[in-house]
Amino acid sequence: MDLGTKKVTLPIGGMSCAACAARIEKALGSTPGVVVSNVNFALERAAVEFDPTRTTVMELVGRVKDLGYDVSTAATDLKITGMSCSACAARIEKKLQETEGVVAASVNFALERAHVQYTPGVVSVPDLKGVIANLGYQAHSTETAVDTDKEKLAREREMKRQQFLFVMAAVLSLPLLLNMLQEFFNLHISETLMSPYLQFALSTLVQFGAGYQFYRGSYHALKNGSANMDVLVALGTSTAYFYSVVNTFIIGKGFLYYEVSAILITLILLGKMLEAVAKGRTSEAIKKLMGLQAKTARVIRNDAEMDIPVEDVVVGDLIVVRPGEKIPVDGVIREGNSAVDEAMITGESIPVEKRSGDTVIGATINKYGTFKFEATKVGRDTVLAQIIKMVEDAQGSKAPIQRLADRVSAYFVPTVVGIALLAFVVWYAVTGDFRLALINMVAVLVIACPCALGLATPTAIMVGTGKGAEHGILIKGGEHLEKAHMIDTVVLDKTGTVTKGEPEVTNVIPLGSHLEAGVLALAAAAEKNSEHPLGQSIVLRARDLGYNLEEPAEFYAIPGQGVRALIGGQQVLLGNQKLMREHGVDTGELRSMLEELEGQGKTSMTLAVDGRAAGIISVADTVKEHSAEAIKELQGMGVRVVMLTGDNERTARAIAGQVGITEVLAEVLPEDKAEQVQKLRRQGHVVGMVGDGINDAPALATADVGMAIGTGTDVAMEAADITLMRGDLRAIVAAIRLSKRTMRTIKMNLFWALIYNVLGIPAAALGFLNPIIAGAAMAFSSVSVVSNSLLLKRFNPSR
């Protein structure tokens, strides 16, 4: 997102097909100040990036409503404390009403309550509480539990509405169906059913009662100069209905097709009802993630334990967690120890041991001991909230392959109407039979449905990204999920990626008159202010031995080389051979010793005091348990694996040899990592970069697909396209497998969506399809596409 722009997600109701989504996207995109707009028909959301100096969220909401669609809202009641008079209530109410995303707000001083109607995706309940807190008051939710899934309720309402309309249409259409059967098979069920007036009454209720939504949708579409599925349904069924009305009341004789229009609407409503159910299942990943959140937290306030809603926890609260309980928010353990099951966040099945000073993640489960921890991240800042946001963003994004469907959908409905009219003219001209020409025209109109085309890609993306989240693979957008299956080269950073990133001191070798303790103490003092993991391992070893570390008078970190410090009046250098050469330190005598240590996979640093070598310190970083297995699997998939590191060639190759990597790029400075990735891309490779550190961020951003190890830094995760919540490299294999399976599903969906129309429209135009059969095929085309996407839920990318 560019600096100065904002991003908002609007929940949209009332879309009937992909053409609706395309129209909203076009209208939002043409709004002054809008940079990017993506409308997801399956998810029923619009993701908009805009310049807040040129337009506002409420203007965007108004633009959507002008097109005839709804922007869904939610409501909440807040208990407010601290108000002293009605002026306080008025002040809070005014501020809430001015808050972006708030539709309406009212504050009752006597009841100390605020009722707020707002737009989810624009503003949240914690945001509203923050607005009130900034005014100097406290707000608490009146509910005992957090309502985490407003969207679920909206979907359930839509399912119930479609179910009611379908049942209504089915009951009214049944007599018409029986009449059609008795005419077709020359049966004698009931003479009453043959009454044209009874048929008119029943079909009219279906046409304008159950089918009202199609007329409403058509009106708004045509008013805005476009057409969608509603236009096709309304046009096709109205043609059959009004032809029958003319024969009933004006001509007084002729064929009646009341059953055609009524049964068509019934079948289409059945399809929409099943589609609504299936679409609801595609977003189950979000519901599962939201369901992980603890509802309450046991905090210590005023020296007493109390249970409060989790949304009322604030940073700094001390929280008690007992065995078997969910950890409510993110924090740091201050007292006690335990083992915590983090499988729901990282996918790692083995509980992680935790002690004082360790971080804990909200929604994970405390297995054994009781501990107290300090809340450090609450609300939207927690890891779980960030995961949910990332998955929501990914599900709302568009994969490049969807552009094909979007282009087709834009021209689809007008083309179908043209083909239907042409079919009518040709049939009437050739046969002179108005009735036959009319029936074939109606069949063309109802067989064509752009819904399946619009659902083909987003439903698969929704299920795929959700499946990834279940396995600790967080994918930022559909384009990254699509790109991952094309990766032919994976570049792995060494420290923290191939290895554990927790190096330990293995050798301290003094030189000349120096002692081992003195060498370690000087090296640790030099590295005291360093953030490098190798330096920290030296400091940790010295502290474990009880050394008092002197504070350096000067300290300089030299990227890719080591450190320089002034300690007790002595110039101290600690680093690699390049650092020694640049400062004129003679290390010729040490070369064979260094080569031997590096050949063992150890990183060796030379300590120099006042320009002379004083000792060697070796540090070893052990290889992760499953690194070799993951690299073998990648190579088995035909993926080239390259290791990238700032270590010297010999040490790097020793580590690479342990895990089966043959290609190594060693002694690469942090600022040159991105250039190495770019070089591989220029050679025509699709590169996936995997890293965990701040210095990996440029390379992650440069790669075709950047993958950050979730145990690493926030900066790396922000720069990456995919975050692997576990440090396990097998997640890379799983991400590529998931991408391949998702792309296969998308291509199958597009095939079936197109084949319905490619075969169905000509068949209908040539007179081979009865309108009712055409309507049934159209109704079930969308259901088949969504059901195929749901098969992804059975896929296990880790196998």
Side-chain angles (χ1 to χ4, degrees), residues 135-268:
L135 293 173
Y137 307 95
Q138 289 295 316
H140 308 277
S141 296
T142 56
E143 301 91 349
T144 55
V146 186
D147 184 2
T148 55
D149 202 355
K150 304 283 185 187
E151 185 181 337
K152 178 182 177 182
L153 297 176
R155 284 194 183 280
E156 287 177 351
R157 282 196 299 269
E158 175 62 15
M159 279 186 255
K160 287 177 181 176
R161 189 177 76 87
Q162 294 294 351
Q163 188 177 31
F164 169 76
L165 292 173
F166 165 68
V167 171
M168 169 188 169
V171 170
L172 294 169
S173 299
L174 183 60
L176 298 171
L177 175 63
L178 291 174
N179 180 59
M180 183 183 76
L181 292 174
Q182 77 175 358
E183 286 185 0
F184 190 78
F185 293 106
N186 198 23
L187 302 174
H188 299 285
I189 300 172
S190 171
E191 291 293 327
T192 307
L193 295 177
M194 300 181 69
S195 167
Y197 302 108
L198 175 63
Q199 292 180 47
F200 165 75
L202 293 172
S203 65
T204 299
L205 290 172
V206 175
Q207 190 75 30
F208 302 107
Y212 168 73
Q213 61 181 316
F214 302 117
Y215 285 101
R216 180 182 178 274
S218 299
Y219 166 73
H220 287 296
L222 295 172
K223 185 184 77 170
N224 290 284
S226 62
N228 60 2
M229 186 203 84
D230 291 330
V231 173
L232 294 179
V233 174
L235 192 57
T237 58
S238 295
T239 302
Y241 172 80
F242 286 111
Y243 175 75
S244 302
V245 169
V246 169
N247 283 346
T248 301
F249 294 102
I250 299 176
I251 300 176
K253 61 179 182 178
F255 290 97
L256 302 178
Y257 293 104
Y258 289 121
E259 76 280 359
V260 171
S261 64
I263 293 171
L264 277 176
I265 287 174
T266 303
L267 287 170
I268 292 164

Side-chain angles (χ1 to χ4, degrees), residues 739-753:
S739 172
K740 287 183 176 180
R741 180 60 182 270
T742 304
M743 287 307 300
R744 191 170 78 184
T745 300
I746 289 172
K747 288 171 182 175
M748 286 173 63
N749 284 351
L750 289 172
F751 170 79
W752 286 113

Side-chain angles (χ1 to χ4, degrees), residues 672-790:
D672 294 335
K673 287 185 177 181
E675 176 55 34
Q676 292 294 336
V677 171
Q678 188 61 46
K679 190 182 293 183
L680 289 167
R681 292 186 67 197
R682 283 197 292 265
Q683 293 171 8
H685 296 290
V686 179
V687 181
M689 169 71 195
V690 187
D692 74 323
I694 290 174
N695 57 18
D696 297 325
L700 290 169
T702 302
D704 293 287
V705 180
M707 300 187 191
I709 299 294
T711 50
T713 66
D714 291 342
V715 175
M717 291 169 67
E718 184 64 31
D721 305 312
I722 298 175
T723 298
L724 310 174
M725 293 302 291
R726 289 182 288 164
D728 191 339
L729 294 191
R730 290 177 299 179
I732 305 169
V733 181
I736 294 174
R737 283 179 181 156
L738 180 64
S739 172
K740 287 183 176 180
R741 180 60 182 270
T742 304
M743 287 307 300
R744 191 170 78 184
T745 300
I746 289 172
K747 288 171 182 175
M748 286 173 63
N749 284 351
L750 289 172
F751 170 79
W752 286 113
L754 290 168
I755 208 73
Y756 269 110
N757 294 301
V758 169
L759 298 180
I761 292 174
L766 293 171
F768 295 127
L769 278 182
N770 179 284
I772 291 176
I773 296 173
M778 188 272 270
F780 286 99
S781 63
S782 298
V783 178
S784 65
V785 163
V786 179
S787 299
N788 188 48
S789 292
L790 288 171

Side-chain angles (χ1 to χ4, degrees), residues 498 623-633 635 658-660 729:
V498 176
V623 170
K624 287 181 181 176
E625 185 181 356
H626 299 292
S627 289
E629 178 187 341
I631 288 159
K632 186 178 180 180
E633 286 189 54
Q635 292 167 338
Q658 293 178 40
V659 295
L729 294 191

Side-chain angles (χ1 to χ4, degrees), residues 345-374:
I345 300 294
T346 65
E348 179 57 64
S349 58
I350 301 172
V352 181
E353 295 293 330
K354 300 285 185 179
R355 60 179 185 272
S356 182
D358 288 341
T359 58
V360 288
I361 303 170
T364 57
I365 299 172
N366 179 30
K367 300 294 286 185
Y368 308 120
T370 297
F371 61 86
K372 296 176 184 177
F373 76 96
E374 180 185 341

Side-chain angles (χ1 to χ4, degrees), residues 85-113:
C85 64
S86 57
C88 297
R91 183 178 172 218
I92 296 170
E93 185 175 296
K94 183 174 183 291
K95 193 65 177 178
L96 286 171
Q97 289 172 343
E98 291 172 353
T99 301
E100 195 167 46
V102 171
V103 179
S106 61
V107 179
N108 188 310
F109 170 61
L111 295 176
E112 295 186 324
R113 292 282 179 95

